[in-house]
Amino acid sequence: MKNELICSEAALQRLEYPQLKALLAGQTQSEPGRRLARQLQPQAAVAAAEEALLEVDEAVRLLDGGAVPALGDCRDIAAVLDRTQAAGSLVAVADLLEIGASIRTAAECRRWFKQAAQAPRLSAAALQLSPLDELQQRVRETVGPRGELLDSASFELGDLRYRIRHLRSRIKQRLEQLLAGEQYGACFQEHLITQRNGRYVVPLKSDCRGRVKGFVQDESASGQTLYLEPAGVLDDNNRLQQLLREEQREERRILLQLADLVRRERLPLQQNQQLLSRIDLRFAAGRLSRAYRGCHPRLVAEPVIDVRQIRHPLLLEHDGCFRPDAAVAIDLLLPEDCRALVVSGPNTGGKSVALKTLGLLQLMLRSGLHAPCDPDSRVHLFQRLYVDIGDEQSIADSLSTFSGHLLKIRDILAAADKDTLVLLDEAGSGTDPAEGAALIQAVLAQLCRQGAKALVTTHLGQLKLFAHDYPGIENAAVEFDPQTLRPTYRLRYGIPGASSALATARRLGLPEGVLQQAREYLGRDEHEHGSLLAGLNRRRQELDRQLEDARQARVDAAASQRLRRQQLRELQDKKKDILGRVTRQAEELIGATEAELKRLRRQGRAAVTPRQAVEEKQQLQQVRDTLVPFKPKRRAAQPRATGLDPGELVVIPALEVEAEVVRVSGRQVELLLNGKRMRQPLSALEPYRPRRFARERKPDNRVLHRPVERRVSPQLKLIGRRVEEALVLLGPFIDDARLHELSQVEIIHGAGAGILRRAVREFLAQQQGVTAFYAAPADQGGDNATIVELNGS
């Protein structure tokens, strides 16, 4: 299969591709980058388009990180390189300044990307930049920041300029002495030293001609002033002219030498500019993507269009600013088994925008530009893209609008194949509706036989019925709000759309009498047909809303269930931790008591009778026995499950969960756990036993003092307490309530200034075991009390 794109320049204009390139050019940093953006064309090879999109991905990541290379000093030196291509040609000093700036930019960009590990593709491109150290050093030594040749360009030039400066200083000094002298001071028009014909002169009054020896180089327009070169500086002026000519020859020699060096490095300089332009273009595409929230959808080989929540990029921009919410996002769906999509609905409802969005999407991805759509979208890049949008009328060629469309359709049918996308706007218009609809039906059927994909917009009812009956062709409707009769610009698939011309006319203010007469002309059947389509659309919208609500409710329920399970696990862990800590403290206390008793016996063994010692020992043992239920117990070995039947419940000891048996295959069991299937060996399962609600304890006649269980009140009164005191009481109260598995408690804090109530509720919002809290009902105190719901263990 050829990896070429066939799309005419007229199609690019119809899809507003030049406007998109203008937006891209506005995001570039350098003139070469802007030129490349203006010259951008869709890539012929899909692999090249994919590579460009991956580079834009890297640019977006770098832009998100806030660090990008500076490319603004990349100058457009293509014309300079062309001028210096011939041997013996000179390079201007200003051009050398441009070349030096571009070389510095290339070197800095190459150095910057050595640290950009998150952008391997752009880094690989930047590493191809040539630093051109020799040329860069030579330009730096030769050209100053204002575009002048420096004295350091060569030793000879530096020496000549030193001699010129010294000689000029001597000439000016002699002339100043002449002007200030008493002998000739009155002969001069003013005390001024100037130049004429490259020689230093002084302004002499015309009536003093002959009084001062010298040569007249020029005179004023009025003839009142003569510009005289005094004889005393004649030799120095001659010498100065000779040195200036030698300076010019040396400057020319230096520029020829630099031109030769530029000519020798011409190819690396051209490559540098191409690479810098490409990097600038990728960052411009990244900025554009961030502006309209674009992404890189997945490119697929199958002829599929599955684009979710896409927006037309040109609708998002206004006066240079992007508003991602300025356009309604739509879904563009042409699955593999759908060869054509017929979009119908009211005027100004977004049919043409949907069609143009699909065409522009193909061009954007081919050009390496992100699309403003959902990142999970899938797109096939077609080899051929044919577009028939707008008025094709041509007076010069004696073509009507309909004839222009027919010629374009003729060319499309001649070339369409399995990798062709055809976009037809208002198909069948411009002629008799019945004949136009019949013709477009035949065209769509032929395109389907040739394997092409097509998206067609229409108002023709016959074409809608054809799409409903023909295999491989589907209907889609532009949605509108049934209450306001305004379009929502979304597409609804599977049903045709009503044109709603009369509703649109009413919304735009046409007289009611005209509308009533139009309904009479329309006829009962057509009116009922339109009403039926409108009813179907309303029903579809309602079903879609209900489906979306159900999906959201399911997501919320799953999230709530996960949260409750997590909170329950945390509460159980905390309960175990508390019980373990209490047990350890009790054991430490018993140990300390035994040690103290032993010490007391040693000190006064005669005072303690054997019977008392036995009683004390029995009492300590009884206390130990009361701790037995609180100590963590090892799980007793349970008999393994055997002979299981589908639907039976079993226990997975390793996970401490219960599951339902789905199927038994040998020694493997397929289980259903929380809606998900899993496989476990038979040996890893245990029979299910219902949990008992109370522990059975054997009576122990030896216990003399049974510990009394502390009862926890479901109510805490904090009225009159300061915030610090209340929070000290509130924390243990919540812990005790959770430990005793209370599901709801009440906190009475009073009204007052609301400070205590706010502090209590802020504290409750941070507690993991609190699932909800709210003001008590009016008959229970209202805002004077807070009801708290807890997770029971």
Side-chain angles (χ1 to χ4, degrees):
M1 183 180 70
K2 297 180 180 179
N3 283 327
E4 59 183 3
L5 172 68
I6 297 176
C7 183
S8 67
E9 185 62 33
L12 298 180
Q13 295 288 338
R14 297 284 183 185
L15 294 174
E16 300 175 287
Y17 185 67
Q19 290 89 317
L20 181 68
K21 293 196 295 184
L23 293 181
L24 179 64
Q27 301 292 331
T28 56
Q29 290 182 281
S30 65
E31 183 56 38
R34 277 187 287 277
R35 183 156 56 91
L36 188 60
R38 297 188 190 103
Q39 297 173 352
L40 185 66
Q41 290 295 317
Q43 297 277 357
V46 175
E50 178 72 26
E51 187 66 20
L53 287 168
L54 292 173
E55 290 181 355
V56 176
D57 292 346
E58 296 179 354
V60 170
R61 285 197 295 270
L62 293 173
L63 288 165
D64 289 341
V68 293
L71 303 173
D73 276 343
C74 174
R75 310 296 173 83
D76 190 356
I77 58 174
V80 177
L81 297 179
D82 289 340
R83 288 197 298 269
T84 59
Q85 188 173 0
S89 58
L90 277 175
V91 58
V93 180
D95 293 338
L96 287 173
L97 199 63
E98 300 284 298
I99 291 173
S102 292
I103 295 175
R104 285 194 303 274
T105 303
E108 291 169 3
C109 182
R110 189 175 192 273
R111 186 163 50 251
W112 190 92
F113 269 105
K114 285 183 178 180
Q115 311 299 325
Q118 68 272 39
R121 289 176 174 80
L122 291 177
S123 296
L127 291 178
Q128 298 178 41
L129 293 167
S130 301
L132 299 173
D133 295 331
E134 180 185 357
L135 179 57
Q136 183 179 4
Q137 179 67 21
R138 192 73 180 91
V139 171
R140 186 186 300 116
E141 294 173 349
T142 302
V143 182
R146 292 182 297 276
E148 75 282 6
L149 277 180
L150 299 175
D151 294 353
S152 58
S154 72
F155 173 81
E156 291 79 4
L157 182 63
D159 180 63
L160 284 170
R161 287 183 174 177
Y162 171 78
R163 291 158 63 188
I164 289 171
R165 286 193 297 271
H166 180 72
L167 186 57
R168 279 176 170 163
S169 177
R170 190 170 65 185
I171 293 173
K172 289 179 181 179
Q173 185 178 7
R174 288 184 177 180
L175 292 177
E176 286 174 354
Q177 291 175 353
L178 180 64
L179 291 171
E182 294 182 359
Q183 183 178 2
Y184 300 111
C187 297
F188 299 109
Q189 199 72 265
E190 54 183 325
H191 287 241
L192 175 69
I193 299 173
T194 185
Q195 283 186 312
R196 289 294 186 275
N197 301 323
R199 308 175 75 87
Y200 284 100
V201 295
V202 290
L204 182 71
K205 296 178 181 178
S206 59
D207 53 359
C208 294
R209 184 193 295 266
R211 292 185 58 184
V212 180
K213 293 183 179 180
F215 297 90
V216 176
Q217 294 291 342
D218 196 4
E219 64 180 37
S220 65
S222 63
Q224 299 297 315
T225 303
L226 305 177
Y227 293 98
L228 180 72
E229 179 185 5
V233 297
L234 179 63
D235 291 338
D236 286 343
N237 265 335
N238 290 336
R239 178 59 182 160
L240 178 63
Q241 292 301 311
Q242 180 182 355
L243 290 176
L244 290 174
R245 286 191 294 271
E246 291 179 10
E247 180 190 26
Q248 290 177 352
R249 285 193 293 271
E250 180 61 18
E251 288 177 347
R252 180 179 175 82
R253 184 189 70 80
I254 293 170
L255 293 177
L256 284 171
Q257 189 181 63
L258 282 170
D260 290 339
L261 188 56
V262 169
R263 193 176 304 111
R264 190 179 72 192
E265 303 290 359
R266 182 170 179 269
L267 290 180
L269 285 169
Q270 286 179 333
Q271 183 184 25
N272 279 1
Q273 178 161 319
Q274 292 169 359
L275 289 170
L276 289 173
S277 302
R278 170 180 154 195
I279 294 172
D280 190 12
L281 182 67
R282 298 296 181 248
F283 276 104
R287 293 186 190 92
L288 195 62
S289 175
R290 295 174 79 232
Y292 56 54
R293 298 178 188 171
C295 71
H296 175 186
R298 186 154 59 95
L299 303 185
V300 295
E302 303 80 16
V304 171
I305 299 293
D306 184 2
V307 184
R308 308 284 176 167
Q309 298 297 291
I310 187 170
R311 294 153 292 147
H312 195 294
L314 297 181
L315 296 179
L316 307 177
E317 186 270 341
H318 181 68
D319 292 337
C321 298
F322 285 87
R323 290 177 47 225
D325 58 345
V328 176
I330 62 173
D331 295 338
L332 292 174
L333 309 176
L334 273 82
E336 194 167 1
D337 57 350
C338 175
R339 304 309 310 174
L341 184 68
V342 176
V343 182
S344 53
N347 293 319
T348 69
K351 300 188 301 296
S352 297
V353 171
L355 183 139
K356 288 183 177 181
T357 301
L358 178 56
L360 190 58
L361 169 70
Q362 291 280 316
L363 300 179
M364 292 176 69
L365 296 178
R366 283 273 187 180
S367 304
L369 301 179
H370 282 180
C373 64
D374 188 279
D376 291 332
S377 300
R378 298 183 303 138
V379 183
H380 174 75
L381 296 183
F382 292 88
Q383 281 182 249
R384 293 174 170 82
L385 176 61
Y386 294 107
V387 180
D388 185 14
I389 301 174
D391 189 359
E392 298 294 332
Q393 188 176 25
S394 173
I395 298 176
D397 296 332
S398 301
L399 292 177
S400 66
T401 299
F402 186 66
S403 300
H405 289 309
L406 290 182
L407 289 177
K408 184 159 289 189
I409 290 174
R410 180 198 64 185
D411 297 338
I412 292 173
L413 291 175
D417 59 10
K418 293 182 179 180
D419 210 1
T420 298
L421 177 62
V422 180
L423 305 177
L424 303 178
D425 191 31
E426 299 296 345
S429 62
T431 187
D432 178 75
E435 292 186 358
L439 183 61
I440 298 303
Q441 289 177 45
V443 169
L444 287 179
Q446 181 62 32
L447 288 175
C448 289
R449 286 192 290 271
Q450 293 177 218
K453 290 265 188 180
L455 191 150
V456 178
T457 66
T458 186
H459 285 287
L460 302 177
Q462 188 175 342
L463 200 53
K464 303 173 192 177
L465 294 174
F466 174 75
H468 179 73
D469 295 332
Y470 196 92
I473 302 180
E474 293 186 7
N475 270 306
V478 176
E479 183 185 80
F480 65 96
D481 190 326
Q483 304 299 325
T484 63
L485 299 180
R486 292 180 180 273
T488 65
Y489 305 105
R490 296 184 179 89
L491 291 180
R492 296 295 178 186
Y493 291 84
I495 56 174
S499 295
S500 304
L502 297 181
T504 304
R506 178 185 293 107
R507 178 166 55 85
L508 296 178
L510 265 69
E512 185 60 34
V514 174
L515 299 177
Q516 180 61 36
Q517 190 171 11
R519 278 191 289 270
E520 294 174 0
Y521 289 151
L522 182 63
R524 180 176 178 181
D525 291 342
E526 287 294 332
H527 181 68
E528 290 180 350
H529 177 70
S531 300
L532 176 61
L533 289 180
L536 286 174
N537 275 287
R538 284 194 296 271
R539 183 60 177 163
R540 180 63 179 267
Q541 293 176 37
E542 181 62 28
L543 290 175
D544 286 344
R545 279 194 291 269
Q546 292 177 3
L547 179 60
E548 185 61 30
D549 292 343
R551 287 173 178 167
Q552 187 60 44
R554 185 175 180 180
V555 170
D556 294 343
S560 177
Q561 187 178 18
R562 287 194 299 270
L563 177 61
R564 288 181 178 276
R565 286 177 179 169
Q566 179 184 356
Q567 292 175 341
L568 180 59
R569 285 194 299 268
E570 292 173 354
L571 182 58
Q572 289 172 341
D573 293 341
K574 189 171 183 180
K575 181 179 179 180
K576 292 177 182 178
D577 181 60
I578 293 173
L579 291 176
R581 189 165 60 248
V582 170
T583 303
R584 287 193 300 273
Q585 291 174 356
E587 289 175 343
E588 291 171 1
L589 180 59
I590 292 171
T593 304
E594 287 180 337
E596 182 65 18
L597 287 173
K598 289 178 181 179
R599 187 183 66 80
L600 292 175
R601 291 195 198 100
R602 285 195 299 269
Q603 290 180 355
R605 190 172 297 275
V608 179
T609 65
R611 182 173 180 175
Q612 290 175 333
V614 171
E615 290 178 355
E616 290 172 356
K617 189 173 182 180
Q618 287 178 347
Q619 290 176 2
L620 287 172
Q621 184 60 40
Q622 289 164 4
V623 174
R624 286 194 189 95
D625 291 341
T626 60
L627 295 175
V628 171
F630 300 101
K631 291 185 178 181
K633 297 179 181 180
R634 292 190 176 181
R635 191 180 189 91
Q638 300 287 338
R640 298 300 177 183
T642 57
L644 300 176
D645 296 320
E648 186 176 347
L649 292 179
V650 294
V651 177
I652 308 175
L655 303 178
E656 297 184 353
V657 295
E658 300 161 0
E660 180 183 345
V661 176
V662 177
R663 185 167 57 89
V664 180
S665 177
R667 305 301 296 174
Q668 295 290 321
V669 183
E670 186 174 342
L671 303 171
L672 184 64
L673 176 61
N674 294 332
K676 297 184 179 179
R677 293 178 180 259
M678 63 184 298
R679 296 178 69 87
Q680 289 286 323
L682 192 60
S683 59
L685 306 177
E686 294 178 357
Y688 169 75
R689 283 183 173 77
R691 297 177 181 176
R692 297 182 179 180
F693 293 98
R695 291 190 179 93
E696 295 180 359
R697 296 185 181 175
K698 294 182 179 181
D700 192 347
N701 298 325
R702 297 179 301 165
V703 177
L704 299 178
H705 302 285
R706 189 178 299 273
V708 179
E709 182 180 359
R710 183 165 63 92
R711 298 181 61 84
V712 176
S713 171
Q715 189 180 82
L716 175 63
K717 294 183 178 180
L718 300 176
I719 297 176
R721 296 186 180 274
R722 295 196 303 272
V723 170
E724 295 79 5
E725 296 175 345
L727 296 183
V728 168
L729 296 174
L730 184 56
F733 173 72
I734 295 297
D735 291 340
D736 287 345
R738 293 173 61 194
L739 186 60
H740 287 76
E741 302 181 2
L742 297 183
S743 61
Q744 189 179 88
V745 294
E746 180 181 14
I747 301 171
I748 302 175
H749 41 64
I755 298 174
L756 181 57
R757 179 181 63 242
R758 185 164 55 251
V760 166
R761 292 180 179 176
E762 289 176 356
F763 177 85
L764 293 173
Q766 299 173 1
Q767 302 305 303
Q768 291 185 349
V770 176
T771 59
F773 59 87
Y774 44 85
D779 58 349
Q780 296 182 24
D783 259 346
N784 294 329
T786 297
I787 304 299
V788 184
E789 292 185 0
L790 303 172
N791 250 349
S793 60

